Short mmCIF file of all heavy atoms in Angstrom, two decimals:
data_model
loop_
_atom_site.label_atom_id
_atom_site.label_comp_id
_atom_site.label_asym_id
_atom_site.label_seq_id
_atom_site.Cartn_x
_atom_site.Cartn_y
_atom_site.Cartn_z
N LEU U 54 -86.77 26.85 -94.49
CA LEU U 54 -87.52 27.28 -95.69
C LEU U 54 -88.94 27.76 -95.32
O LEU U 54 -89.43 28.74 -95.84
CB LEU U 54 -87.61 26.12 -96.69
CG LEU U 54 -86.32 25.79 -97.41
CD1 LEU U 54 -86.47 24.45 -98.15
CD2 LEU U 54 -85.92 26.86 -98.39
N ALA U 55 -89.53 27.05 -94.34
CA ALA U 55 -90.94 27.38 -94.00
C ALA U 55 -91.05 28.62 -93.14
O ALA U 55 -92.03 29.35 -93.24
CB ALA U 55 -91.58 26.17 -93.29
N PRO U 162 -69.60 21.01 -112.58
CA PRO U 162 -69.54 21.67 -113.89
C PRO U 162 -70.08 23.05 -113.83
O PRO U 162 -70.81 23.41 -112.90
CB PRO U 162 -70.40 20.78 -114.78
CG PRO U 162 -71.25 19.95 -113.87
CD PRO U 162 -70.49 19.87 -112.57
N PHE U 163 -69.78 23.84 -114.88
CA PHE U 163 -70.27 25.23 -114.93
C PHE U 163 -71.83 25.21 -114.96
O PHE U 163 -72.42 24.33 -115.56
CB PHE U 163 -69.78 25.91 -116.20
CG PHE U 163 -68.33 26.28 -116.17
CD1 PHE U 163 -67.47 25.90 -117.14
CD2 PHE U 163 -67.85 27.05 -115.08
CE1 PHE U 163 -66.10 26.25 -117.09
CE2 PHE U 163 -66.49 27.40 -115.02
CZ PHE U 163 -65.62 27.01 -116.03
N TYR U 165 -75.21 26.21 -116.51
CA TYR U 165 -75.53 26.42 -117.90
C TYR U 165 -75.49 27.92 -118.27
O TYR U 165 -75.05 28.31 -119.31
CB TYR U 165 -76.95 25.86 -118.18
CG TYR U 165 -77.37 26.06 -119.61
CD1 TYR U 165 -76.81 25.23 -120.60
CD2 TYR U 165 -78.26 27.02 -119.98
CE1 TYR U 165 -77.18 25.43 -121.94
CE2 TYR U 165 -78.63 27.22 -121.28
CZ TYR U 165 -78.11 26.39 -122.27
OH TYR U 165 -78.43 26.60 -123.58
N GLN U 200 -76.98 16.55 -103.89
CA GLN U 200 -78.21 16.25 -104.60
C GLN U 200 -78.99 17.51 -104.94
O GLN U 200 -80.21 17.47 -105.04
CB GLN U 200 -79.02 15.30 -103.82
CG GLN U 200 -78.44 13.89 -103.81
CD GLN U 200 -79.18 12.93 -102.89
OE1 GLN U 200 -80.34 13.08 -102.63
NE2 GLN U 200 -78.49 11.92 -102.37
N ALA U 201 -78.28 18.60 -105.06
CA ALA U 201 -78.89 19.83 -105.57
C ALA U 201 -80.11 20.30 -104.72
O ALA U 201 -81.06 20.75 -105.28
CB ALA U 201 -79.23 19.75 -107.03
N PHE U 202 -80.02 20.17 -103.42
CA PHE U 202 -81.16 20.71 -102.62
C PHE U 202 -81.14 22.25 -102.71
O PHE U 202 -82.13 22.88 -102.41
CB PHE U 202 -80.99 20.29 -101.15
CG PHE U 202 -81.51 18.95 -100.86
CD1 PHE U 202 -80.72 17.76 -100.96
CD2 PHE U 202 -82.83 18.74 -100.49
CE1 PHE U 202 -81.22 16.52 -100.71
CE2 PHE U 202 -83.36 17.50 -100.24
CZ PHE U 202 -82.52 16.39 -100.38
N GLU U 321 -82.24 38.65 -121.87
CA GLU U 321 -82.58 37.29 -121.89
C GLU U 321 -82.67 36.78 -120.47
O GLU U 321 -82.14 37.38 -119.53
CB GLU U 321 -81.52 36.50 -122.65
CG GLU U 321 -80.08 36.82 -122.22
CD GLU U 321 -79.04 36.16 -123.15
OE1 GLU U 321 -79.42 35.44 -124.07
OE2 GLU U 321 -77.88 36.46 -122.90
N ARG U 322 -83.35 35.68 -120.30
CA ARG U 322 -83.63 35.21 -118.92
C ARG U 322 -82.65 34.04 -118.58
O ARG U 322 -82.29 33.23 -119.45
CB ARG U 322 -85.05 34.63 -118.90
CG ARG U 322 -85.65 34.58 -117.55
CD ARG U 322 -86.96 33.83 -117.67
NE ARG U 322 -87.99 34.59 -118.34
CZ ARG U 322 -88.85 35.41 -117.69
NH1 ARG U 322 -88.71 35.56 -116.41
NH2 ARG U 322 -89.80 35.98 -118.35
N ALA U 324 -81.77 30.95 -115.45
CA ALA U 324 -82.55 30.09 -114.55
C ALA U 324 -81.82 29.94 -113.21
O ALA U 324 -81.02 29.03 -113.01
CB ALA U 324 -82.78 28.74 -115.16
N PRO U 325 -82.02 30.91 -112.32
CA PRO U 325 -81.32 30.83 -111.02
C PRO U 325 -81.93 29.75 -110.09
O PRO U 325 -82.96 29.17 -110.40
CB PRO U 325 -81.45 32.21 -110.45
CG PRO U 325 -82.62 32.81 -111.08
CD PRO U 325 -82.91 32.05 -112.38
N ARG U 327 -81.22 26.82 -109.17
CA ARG U 327 -81.24 25.39 -109.47
C ARG U 327 -80.14 24.67 -108.76
O ARG U 327 -80.05 23.46 -108.74
CB ARG U 327 -81.15 25.12 -110.99
CG ARG U 327 -82.37 25.68 -111.71
CD ARG U 327 -82.49 25.10 -113.12
NE ARG U 327 -81.41 25.57 -113.98
CZ ARG U 327 -81.11 24.98 -115.11
NH1 ARG U 327 -81.78 23.91 -115.54
NH2 ARG U 327 -80.12 25.50 -115.87
N ARG U 366 -92.29 40.15 -101.83
CA ARG U 366 -92.08 41.05 -100.68
C ARG U 366 -91.95 42.46 -101.13
O ARG U 366 -92.38 43.38 -100.41
CB ARG U 366 -90.83 40.62 -99.92
CG ARG U 366 -91.04 39.50 -99.01
CD ARG U 366 -89.78 39.42 -98.15
NE ARG U 366 -89.86 38.30 -97.23
CZ ARG U 366 -88.83 37.53 -96.97
NH1 ARG U 366 -87.65 37.71 -97.54
NH2 ARG U 366 -88.98 36.56 -96.06
N GLY U 369 -96.16 45.52 -104.65
CA GLY U 369 -97.42 45.96 -104.06
C GLY U 369 -98.62 45.21 -104.62
O GLY U 369 -99.70 45.55 -104.35
N TRP U 371 -100.89 41.62 -105.67
CA TRP U 371 -101.29 40.29 -105.14
C TRP U 371 -102.09 39.59 -106.20
O TRP U 371 -102.37 40.13 -107.29
CB TRP U 371 -102.16 40.52 -103.86
CG TRP U 371 -103.42 41.30 -104.13
CD1 TRP U 371 -104.61 40.75 -104.55
CD2 TRP U 371 -103.63 42.70 -103.96
NE1 TRP U 371 -105.55 41.79 -104.66
CE2 TRP U 371 -104.97 42.96 -104.30
CE3 TRP U 371 -102.78 43.74 -103.58
CZ2 TRP U 371 -105.51 44.23 -104.29
CZ3 TRP U 371 -103.36 45.02 -103.53
CH2 TRP U 371 -104.70 45.24 -103.90
N GLY U 372 -102.40 38.37 -105.96
CA GLY U 372 -103.21 37.55 -106.84
C GLY U 372 -102.59 37.45 -108.22
O GLY U 372 -101.35 37.36 -108.41
N ASP U 374 -102.08 39.60 -110.54
CA ASP U 374 -101.16 40.65 -110.90
C ASP U 374 -99.77 40.27 -110.35
O ASP U 374 -98.75 40.52 -110.98
CB ASP U 374 -101.56 42.01 -110.28
CG ASP U 374 -102.80 42.57 -110.97
OD1 ASP U 374 -103.08 42.06 -112.12
OD2 ASP U 374 -103.47 43.41 -110.42
N ARG U 380 -93.59 36.43 -112.97
CA ARG U 380 -93.19 35.76 -114.24
C ARG U 380 -92.35 36.72 -115.10
O ARG U 380 -91.42 36.33 -115.75
CB ARG U 380 -94.44 35.34 -115.01
CG ARG U 380 -95.02 34.11 -114.48
CD ARG U 380 -96.00 33.47 -115.41
NE ARG U 380 -96.67 32.42 -114.69
CZ ARG U 380 -97.97 32.51 -114.28
NH1 ARG U 380 -98.70 33.53 -114.52
NH2 ARG U 380 -98.45 31.50 -113.56
N TYR U 383 -88.75 37.40 -112.92
CA TYR U 383 -87.89 36.32 -112.37
C TYR U 383 -86.80 35.92 -113.39
O TYR U 383 -87.11 35.74 -114.58
CB TYR U 383 -88.75 35.13 -112.00
CG TYR U 383 -87.86 34.02 -111.40
CD1 TYR U 383 -87.36 34.14 -110.12
CD2 TYR U 383 -87.59 32.89 -112.14
CE1 TYR U 383 -86.54 33.13 -109.60
CE2 TYR U 383 -86.75 31.84 -111.60
CZ TYR U 383 -86.22 32.02 -110.32
OH TYR U 383 -85.43 31.08 -109.83
N ARG U 385 -84.17 37.52 -114.42
CA ARG U 385 -83.55 38.56 -115.27
C ARG U 385 -82.37 39.23 -114.55
O ARG U 385 -81.71 40.08 -115.15
CB ARG U 385 -84.57 39.60 -115.65
CG ARG U 385 -85.73 39.05 -116.45
CD ARG U 385 -86.23 40.02 -117.50
NE ARG U 385 -87.40 39.49 -118.12
CZ ARG U 385 -87.39 38.79 -119.26
NH1 ARG U 385 -86.23 38.49 -119.83
NH2 ARG U 385 -88.51 38.32 -119.74
N LEU X 63 -105.74 36.85 -102.62
CA LEU X 63 -104.33 37.29 -102.46
C LEU X 63 -103.36 36.36 -103.18
O LEU X 63 -102.37 36.86 -103.79
CB LEU X 63 -103.96 37.33 -100.98
CG LEU X 63 -104.49 38.43 -100.11
CD1 LEU X 63 -103.98 38.24 -98.69
CD2 LEU X 63 -104.06 39.82 -100.63
N ASP X 67 -102.03 29.70 -109.84
CA ASP X 67 -102.95 29.57 -110.98
C ASP X 67 -104.18 28.77 -110.60
O ASP X 67 -105.30 29.17 -110.90
CB ASP X 67 -102.20 28.87 -112.15
CG ASP X 67 -101.22 29.78 -112.80
OD1 ASP X 67 -101.30 30.99 -112.61
OD2 ASP X 67 -100.28 29.27 -113.45
N GLN X 125 -111.95 41.32 -104.89
CA GLN X 125 -110.73 41.97 -105.45
C GLN X 125 -110.90 43.50 -105.42
O GLN X 125 -109.97 44.23 -105.02
CB GLN X 125 -110.59 41.46 -106.91
CG GLN X 125 -109.60 42.23 -107.79
CD GLN X 125 -108.14 41.97 -107.41
OE1 GLN X 125 -107.82 41.08 -106.66
NE2 GLN X 125 -107.26 42.85 -107.88
N TYR X 135 -100.75 50.32 -101.08
CA TYR X 135 -99.82 49.22 -101.14
C TYR X 135 -99.23 49.06 -102.55
O TYR X 135 -98.12 48.68 -102.76
CB TYR X 135 -100.58 48.00 -100.69
CG TYR X 135 -99.77 46.71 -100.53
CD1 TYR X 135 -98.50 46.72 -100.06
CD2 TYR X 135 -100.42 45.49 -100.78
CE1 TYR X 135 -97.81 45.54 -99.85
CE2 TYR X 135 -99.71 44.29 -100.60
CZ TYR X 135 -98.45 44.33 -100.15
OH TYR X 135 -97.75 43.15 -99.98
N ARG X 136 -100.07 49.44 -103.51
CA ARG X 136 -99.65 49.31 -104.91
C ARG X 136 -98.71 50.43 -105.35
O ARG X 136 -98.02 50.29 -106.30
CB ARG X 136 -100.87 49.34 -105.81
CG ARG X 136 -101.82 48.23 -105.49
CD ARG X 136 -102.57 47.87 -106.73
NE ARG X 136 -102.57 46.40 -106.83
CZ ARG X 136 -103.40 45.71 -107.57
NH1 ARG X 136 -104.32 46.33 -108.26
NH2 ARG X 136 -103.31 44.45 -107.66
N GLU X 167 -96.63 35.48 -97.42
CA GLU X 167 -95.37 34.86 -97.03
C GLU X 167 -95.59 33.35 -96.77
O GLU X 167 -94.78 32.51 -97.16
CB GLU X 167 -94.82 35.56 -95.81
CG GLU X 167 -93.51 35.07 -95.34
CD GLU X 167 -92.34 36.09 -95.54
OE1 GLU X 167 -92.58 37.23 -95.92
OE2 GLU X 167 -91.21 35.67 -95.28
N ARG X 171 -93.66 30.30 -98.57
CA ARG X 171 -92.77 29.50 -97.76
C ARG X 171 -93.33 28.06 -97.55
O ARG X 171 -92.58 27.12 -97.56
CB ARG X 171 -92.57 30.14 -96.38
CG ARG X 171 -91.61 31.28 -96.42
CD ARG X 171 -91.25 31.70 -94.99
NE ARG X 171 -90.32 32.79 -94.96
CZ ARG X 171 -89.06 32.64 -95.11
NH1 ARG X 171 -88.53 31.47 -95.32
NH2 ARG X 171 -88.23 33.74 -95.04
N TRP X 178 -93.25 27.99 -106.70
CA TRP X 178 -92.24 27.92 -107.74
C TRP X 178 -92.85 27.53 -109.08
O TRP X 178 -92.28 27.83 -110.14
CB TRP X 178 -91.14 26.93 -107.37
CG TRP X 178 -90.18 27.54 -106.35
CD1 TRP X 178 -90.25 27.41 -105.00
CD2 TRP X 178 -89.05 28.34 -106.65
NE1 TRP X 178 -89.22 28.11 -104.39
CE2 TRP X 178 -88.46 28.71 -105.37
CE3 TRP X 178 -88.44 28.89 -107.78
CZ2 TRP X 178 -87.35 29.52 -105.26
CZ3 TRP X 178 -87.32 29.66 -107.65
CH2 TRP X 178 -86.78 29.98 -106.41
N ILE X 180 -95.14 29.00 -110.38
CA ILE X 180 -95.44 30.28 -111.05
C ILE X 180 -94.38 30.53 -112.10
O ILE X 180 -94.66 31.09 -113.18
CB ILE X 180 -95.51 31.45 -110.03
CG1 ILE X 180 -96.57 31.24 -109.02
CG2 ILE X 180 -95.61 32.77 -110.77
CD1 ILE X 180 -96.55 32.28 -107.84
N TYR X 183 -91.00 26.09 -112.32
CA TYR X 183 -89.96 25.19 -111.74
C TYR X 183 -90.70 23.99 -111.10
O TYR X 183 -91.58 24.18 -110.26
CB TYR X 183 -89.18 25.93 -110.66
CG TYR X 183 -87.99 26.72 -111.13
CD1 TYR X 183 -87.95 27.31 -112.37
CD2 TYR X 183 -86.90 26.86 -110.30
CE1 TYR X 183 -86.87 28.07 -112.79
CE2 TYR X 183 -85.76 27.59 -110.72
CZ TYR X 183 -85.78 28.21 -111.96
OH TYR X 183 -84.66 28.93 -112.34
N HIS X 185 -88.34 21.70 -109.87
CA HIS X 185 -87.25 21.50 -108.87
C HIS X 185 -86.88 22.87 -108.33
O HIS X 185 -86.61 23.78 -109.10
CB HIS X 185 -86.03 20.85 -109.60
CG HIS X 185 -84.79 20.96 -108.79
ND1 HIS X 185 -83.61 21.43 -109.33
CD2 HIS X 185 -84.54 20.67 -107.48
CE1 HIS X 185 -82.69 21.43 -108.34
NE2 HIS X 185 -83.24 20.97 -107.26
N GLY X 188 -84.77 23.01 -101.62
CA GLY X 188 -85.42 22.15 -100.65
C GLY X 188 -85.81 20.82 -101.18
O GLY X 188 -86.21 19.91 -100.44
N ALA X 191 -82.55 16.81 -106.64
CA ALA X 191 -82.70 16.65 -108.10
C ALA X 191 -81.44 16.02 -108.60
O ALA X 191 -80.40 15.87 -107.86
CB ALA X 191 -82.89 17.99 -108.81
N THR X 195 -78.52 18.90 -113.30
CA THR X 195 -79.56 19.61 -114.00
C THR X 195 -79.20 21.08 -114.26
O THR X 195 -79.49 21.59 -115.33
CB THR X 195 -80.89 19.52 -113.18
OG1 THR X 195 -81.07 18.24 -112.78
CG2 THR X 195 -82.08 20.04 -113.98
N TYR X 196 -78.59 21.67 -113.27
CA TYR X 196 -78.32 23.14 -113.42
C TYR X 196 -77.31 23.42 -114.52
O TYR X 196 -77.19 24.56 -114.97
CB TYR X 196 -77.72 23.65 -112.08
CG TYR X 196 -76.32 23.29 -111.81
CD1 TYR X 196 -75.27 24.04 -112.27
CD2 TYR X 196 -76.00 22.10 -111.17
CE1 TYR X 196 -73.97 23.67 -112.08
CE2 TYR X 196 -74.71 21.72 -110.93
CZ TYR X 196 -73.69 22.48 -111.42
OH TYR X 196 -72.36 22.13 -111.22
N ARG X 198 -77.53 22.22 -117.46
CA ARG X 198 -78.25 22.06 -118.75
C ARG X 198 -79.33 23.14 -118.82
O ARG X 198 -79.70 23.72 -117.82
CB ARG X 198 -78.90 20.69 -118.80
CG ARG X 198 -77.96 19.58 -118.55
CD ARG X 198 -78.69 18.26 -118.76
NE ARG X 198 -77.85 17.21 -118.18
CZ ARG X 198 -78.27 16.41 -117.15
NH1 ARG X 198 -79.51 16.51 -116.70
NH2 ARG X 198 -77.46 15.49 -116.69
N ASN X 207 -95.02 30.56 -119.90
CA ASN X 207 -94.79 31.99 -119.98
C ASN X 207 -93.31 32.37 -119.94
O ASN X 207 -92.94 33.52 -120.05
CB ASN X 207 -95.44 32.71 -118.77
CG ASN X 207 -96.88 32.39 -118.66
OD1 ASN X 207 -97.31 31.31 -118.97
ND2 ASN X 207 -97.65 33.35 -118.22
N LEU X 208 -92.49 31.42 -119.73
CA LEU X 208 -91.08 31.74 -119.51
C LEU X 208 -90.18 31.19 -120.66
O LEU X 208 -89.17 30.58 -120.46
CB LEU X 208 -90.59 31.15 -118.19
CG LEU X 208 -91.27 31.71 -116.97
CD1 LEU X 208 -90.93 30.86 -115.73
CD2 LEU X 208 -90.80 33.12 -116.73
N ASP X 210 -88.46 32.68 -122.84
CA ASP X 210 -87.34 33.46 -123.37
C ASP X 210 -86.03 33.25 -122.59
O ASP X 210 -85.31 34.20 -122.33
CB ASP X 210 -87.70 34.99 -123.35
CG ASP X 210 -88.16 35.43 -122.00
OD1 ASP X 210 -88.50 34.58 -121.17
OD2 ASP X 210 -88.22 36.65 -121.76
N ALA X 212 -82.17 32.30 -121.98
CA ALA X 212 -81.00 32.40 -122.81
C ALA X 212 -80.59 31.00 -123.32
O ALA X 212 -80.57 30.07 -122.56
CB ALA X 212 -79.84 32.95 -121.96
N ALA X 213 -80.36 30.92 -124.63
CA ALA X 213 -80.07 29.60 -125.18
C ALA X 213 -78.60 29.26 -124.99
O ALA X 213 -77.77 30.14 -124.85
CB ALA X 213 -80.45 29.57 -126.62
#
Side-chain angles (χ1 to χ4, degrees):
Chain U
L54 289 167
F163 287 127
Y165 180 75
Q200 289 174 26
F202 278 90
E321 49 189 356
R322 202 188 287 271
R327 295 196 293 165
R366 276 192 183 141
W371 61 85
D374 290 342
R380 282 194 190 109
Y383 182 72
R385 297 214 186 270
Chain X
L63 286 180
D67 287 340
Q125 166 74 12
Y135 186 34
R136 300 209 132 161
E167 184 112 5
R171 284 192 178 278
W178 284 93
I180 298 171
Y183 275 32
H185 164 232
T195 312
Y196 74 90
R198 304 185 197 119
N207 304 34
L208 296 168
D210 54 344

